[in-house]
Amino acid sequence: MALRSDEVKKGVIRAPHRSLLKATGLTDEEMSRPFIGVANSANDVVPGHIHLDKIAEAVKAGIRLAGGTPFEFSTIGVCDGIAMNHAGMKYSLPSREIIADSVELVVEAHRFDALVLIPSCDKVTPGMLMAAARLNIPSVVVSGGPMLAGKYRGKDIDLISVFEAVGAVGSGKMTEEELAEYESCACPTCGSCSGMFTANTMNCLTEAIGLGLPGNGTVPATYSERIRLAKHAGMAVMELLESDIRPDRILTKEAFRNALAVDMALGGSTNTVLHMAAIAHEADIEFDLEMVDEISQQTPNLCKISPAGTQHIEDLYRAGGIMAVMAELNKGGHLDTTVMTVTGKPLADNLSGVEVLDNTVIRPLSDPYSKTGGLAILFGNLAPDGAVVKQAAVAERMLVHSGPARVFDGEPEATDAILSNRINPGDVIVIRYEGPKGGPGMREMLTPTSALAGMGLDDKVALITDGRFSGGTRGAAIGHVSPEAQEGGPIAALKQGDAIEIDIPGRKLDVKLTDDELQARLGNWTAPELKVKKGYLALYARMVSSAAKGAILE
């Protein structure tokens, strides 16, 4: 079998290359085997990444067991929680492109034959999936696994509990001493934060789309099973190389539809819409918001994992994990089980014999939380190109809402108004100029939504933005409003007190203005200067597309 790595190790002309490889300690025996890249996003600052050195060692052991020679290299990772609610959050989404690009650069420069990718947190998983699609060499993704839930006086809590507790302190519902207890026990282990937030949603969808082995999304980070899974990932990539099964055989349109169906059943993060669109772009798969909503309308919501409910990823693991969710969906014909996966087998084989082990965590199709999926796509005169909401985490009374706009040109101004008790029940908070270009970087709005929840306003107030939300957000939080304000979208024309009409079941987001009045306002609007003039963010702002296209670079 001809190998890509032959380009750096075979023939007289490659003697200098072999010399450099031998400088790393490589033997002739190792040189004769396939070269397998191991992309590791380990670092010392992200809780989901601090243990990835052990995952990488297990992956490399699996590769060696199966006859390959592993080469570990690094890429970056940002902790969205630590980056939240300050300038650092502007860099989170843009890091996704750096991750994809850096993996591509190392793999192509050194001509690796196959690839194992080790992400854990929010932008690293989609960035690595983008790289796998772009490179199209045999690839397996194995994440670091989810964190266990924290315990506070007999109650399960997580990172979002701490964000919401800040609002509770601000409204006098909690003391600072209680908050200190919360912060010390909410995140008790390494791993990606324990709810169905963006990181865990994307790691679950990696399994659902076929690029992760069964268990990738839910086996806890601290379990020895995660180490064994990593070893199997190393062995699996060698089997994919032998069979020449590449991502383009796995990342088909049917596989994307399967992943979206699982997303809807789980009630996953709104960020998945951005990321799945970007991955589909790399895989040359047609993807649009209409397809997302079509699948949502057809797929029942079977799980209520935090922030939508009180359960956590460890509970989903004990209930049978993502394969059990898929087995239940398959009973209703919601999946295409002929698709190929990194097991080297079609999905149907992976689901053989799989059962749901706890119907309180994964509800049966006959008794779903709702007949439609966890996410909804809204359109209207305020969002001609669409907006996204996690409807599974919206209180029933807020599914249809009309209220006066409280308009803020940026997250800090809105957060200050919330924490200063200047928001009233019934208001519709509008945070604009936080889109991919306007932010730049499309910041997550976890602080304002968590403050509202902690103050007991999440079922009384709506929030819409051209920015985005953390997977930990709950409430009537509508993001990705497109076109964004910076590009002259209708959200730029809103004024204080405008009547905003939200109809999530009807998939509508409107401002109560005539077309003529809205166009007249936009005709008098002038685009503000970009907020950042130099560095990576300035480059990003000039090149990034609309959120409706996945905020990809064009």
Side-chain angles (χ1 to χ4, degrees), residues 10 28 38 89 97 106 135 154 168 219 240 272 338 360 373 449 478 499:
K10 279 203 170 179
D28 288 332
V38 178
M89 179 46 69
E97 317 308 312
V106 175
L135 290 162
V219 174
L240 295 177
T272 59
T338 66
T360 68
T449 58
I478 300 166

Side-chain angles (χ1 to χ4, degrees), residues 5-79:
S5 59
D6 289 347
E7 297 174 38
V8 298
K9 66 185 182 183
K10 279 203 170 179
V12 173
I13 198 173
R14 304 304 181 197
H17 307 65
R18 291 192 295 274
S19 180
L20 288 166
L21 288 165
K22 287 181 177 180
T24 70
L26 215 62
T27 65
D28 288 332
E29 291 79 7
E30 289 171 303
M31 200 99 67
S32 68
R33 299 171 181 170
F35 284 4
I36 313 299
V38 178
N40 187 1
S41 56
N43 60 51
D44 287 343
V45 69
V46 184
H49 294 223
I50 57 172
H51 64 304
L52 295 188
D53 55 339
K54 296 181 178 63
I55 300 296
E57 286 304 318
V59 167
K60 291 188 286 186
I63 291 169
R64 293 188 183 103
L65 280 169
T69 298
F71 292 88
E72 182 181 348
F73 64 94
S74 61
T75 187
I76 63 169
V78 169
C79 177

Side-chain angles (χ1 to χ4, degrees), residues 345-421:
K345 302 173 184 177
L347 177 61
D349 288 17
N350 297 344
L351 295 180
S352 178
V354 174
E355 297 180 355
V356 174
L357 304 179
D358 187 342
N359 280 320
T360 68
V361 180
I362 305 170
R363 284 197 175 184
L365 289 177
S366 59
D367 184 29
Y369 285 102
S370 66
K371 292 181 179 180
T372 57
L375 302 182
I377 308 299
L378 313 184
F379 294 94
N381 69 357
L382 197 47
D385 294 342
V388 185
V389 62
K390 184 190 281 194
Q391 64 177 347
V394 179
E396 187 173 356
R397 62 184 287 181
M398 292 299 294
L399 290 171
V400 178
H401 178 72
S402 179
R406 298 291 304 278
V407 183
F408 302 97
D409 289 343
E411 179 193 10
E413 186 183 344
T415 300
D416 180 65
I418 294 167
L419 294 176
S420 301
N421 295 304

Side-chain angles (χ1 to χ4, degrees), residues 433-444:
Y433 296 104
E434 288 287 6
K437 287 184 183 293
M442 206 179 182
R443 287 195 287 192
E444 290 184 344

Side-chain angles (χ1 to χ4, degrees), residues 216-549:
N216 180 70
T218 60
V219 174
T222 55
Y223 285 17
S224 57
E225 185 180 349
R226 176 61 58 174
I227 299 295
R228 296 195 296 274
L229 183 69
K231 290 179 180 177
H232 284 298
M235 290 185 274
V237 82
M238 296 302 296
E239 294 174 6
L240 295 177
L241 178 61
E242 179 66 27
S243 303
D244 195 28
I245 298 175
R246 302 170 184 244
D248 64 356
R249 284 188 59 188
I250 296 171
L251 296 177
T252 61
K253 186 163 187 175
E254 293 73 22
F256 275 90
R257 293 182 69 90
N258 284 351
L260 287 171
V262 172
D263 196 6
M264 300 310 163
L266 294 173
S269 165
T270 52
N271 284 314
T272 59
V273 178
L274 278 177
H275 299 324
M276 295 298 281
I279 298 160
H281 172 76
E282 297 290 352
D284 294 323
I285 298 296
E286 183 182 348
F287 187 101
D288 55 42
L289 296 183
E290 287 81 1
M291 179 179 74
V292 176
D293 200 57
E294 170 208 333
I295 294 171
S296 179
Q297 296 276 21
Q298 298 170 355
T299 310
N301 177 214
L302 304 180
C303 302
K304 287 278 190 184
I305 310 296
S306 177
T310 58
Q311 295 163 338
H312 291 83
I313 302 296
E314 63 198 75
D315 299 305
L316 182 58
Y317 163 73
R318 285 191 286 269
I322 297 306
M323 288 296 108
V325 174
M326 297 185 84
E328 188 65 26
L329 286 174
N330 194 42
K331 292 177 184 177
H334 295 288
L335 302 177
D336 183 332
T337 60
T338 66
V339 296
M340 180 56 67
T341 71
V342 291
T343 64
K345 302 173 184 177
L347 177 61
D349 288 17
N350 297 344
L351 295 180
S352 178
V354 174
E355 297 180 355
V356 174
L357 304 179
D358 187 342
N359 280 320
T360 68
V361 180
I362 305 170
R363 284 197 175 184
L365 289 177
S366 59
D367 184 29
Y369 285 102
S370 66
K371 292 181 179 180
T372 57
L375 302 182
I377 308 299
L378 313 184
F379 294 94
N381 69 357
L382 197 47
D385 294 342
V388 185
V389 62
K390 184 190 281 194
Q391 64 177 347
V394 179
E396 187 173 356
R397 62 184 287 181
M398 292 299 294
L399 290 171
V400 178
H401 178 72
S402 179
R406 298 291 304 278
V407 183
F408 302 97
D409 289 343
E411 179 193 10
E413 186 183 344
T415 300
D416 180 65
I418 294 167
L419 294 176
S420 301
N421 295 304
R422 289 186 277 123
I423 299 299
N424 303 311
D427 284 347
V428 178
I429 301 167
V430 178
I431 305 178
R432 63 188 179 189
Y433 296 104
E434 288 287 6
K437 287 184 183 293
M442 206 179 182
R443 287 195 287 192
E444 290 184 344
M445 305 291 154
L446 180 58
T447 296
T449 58
S450 296
L452 290 169
M455 298 167 76
L457 289 172
D458 58 301
D459 63 347
K460 303 175 182 69
V461 170
L463 192 158
I464 68 173
T465 180
D466 55 7
R468 60 194 179 93
F469 295 109
S470 162
T473 289
R474 60 187 173 99
I478 300 166
H480 308 192
V481 172
S482 300
E484 63 173 291
Q486 185 70 37
E487 293 197 305
I491 193 172
L494 291 182
K495 296 181 180 179
Q496 297 288 352
D498 283 344
I500 307 297
E501 298 180 333
I502 299 165
D503 182 356
I504 294 173
R507 303 306 202 245
K508 297 291 290 180
L509 178 61
D510 291 300
V511 56
K512 202 169 182 181
L513 296 173
T514 66
D515 290 345
D516 288 345
E517 186 172 3
L518 191 55
Q519 290 307 312
R521 288 190 189 182
L522 290 172
N524 293 321
W525 172 85
T526 302
E529 289 188 7
L530 292 174
K531 294 174 185 173
V532 180
K533 302 295 191 300
K534 62 180 182 179
Y536 180 64
L537 281 185
L539 177 68
Y540 181 86
R542 290 196 298 270
M543 298 177 64
V544 71
S545 76
S546 164
K549 296 181 179 179

Side-chain angles (χ1 to χ4, degrees), residues 58-195:
V59 167
K60 291 188 286 186
I63 291 169
R64 293 188 183 103
L65 280 169
T69 298
F71 292 88
E72 182 181 348
F73 64 94
S74 61
T75 187
I76 63 169
V78 169
C79 177
D80 279 22
I82 297 172
M84 196 68 66
N85 193 29
H86 55 78
M89 179 46 69
K90 293 177 182 286
Y91 291 85
S92 173
L93 182 59
S95 75
R96 184 188 71 183
E97 317 308 312
I98 295 287
I99 292 158
D101 292 348
S102 65
V103 172
E104 176 196 358
L105 290 170
V106 175
V107 169
E108 293 289 47
H110 300 98
R111 311 309 292 158
F112 295 143
D113 300 304
L115 182 62
V116 179
L117 301 127
I118 309 174
S120 193
C121 292
D122 294 40
K123 307 309 165 296
V124 187
T125 302
M128 287 189 169
L129 287 166
M130 290 165 67
R134 185 186 302 173
L135 290 162
N136 199 35
I137 60 174
S139 301
V140 178
V141 180
V142 57
S143 79
M147 181 185 290
L148 297 177
K151 303 289 183 184
Y152 175 78
R153 302 183 183 182
K155 180 178 75 172
D156 285 353
I157 65 171
D158 52 46
L159 176 67
I160 305 308
S161 308
V162 186
F163 272 97
E164 293 182 358
V166 172
V169 170
S171 62
K173 295 182 178 181
M174 179 181 281
T175 67
E176 290 190 29
E177 289 74 22
E178 289 172 315
L179 177 62
E181 283 190 63
Y182 256 53
E183 73 178 60
S184 296
C185 61
C187 300
T189 72
C190 61
S192 44
C193 295
S194 56

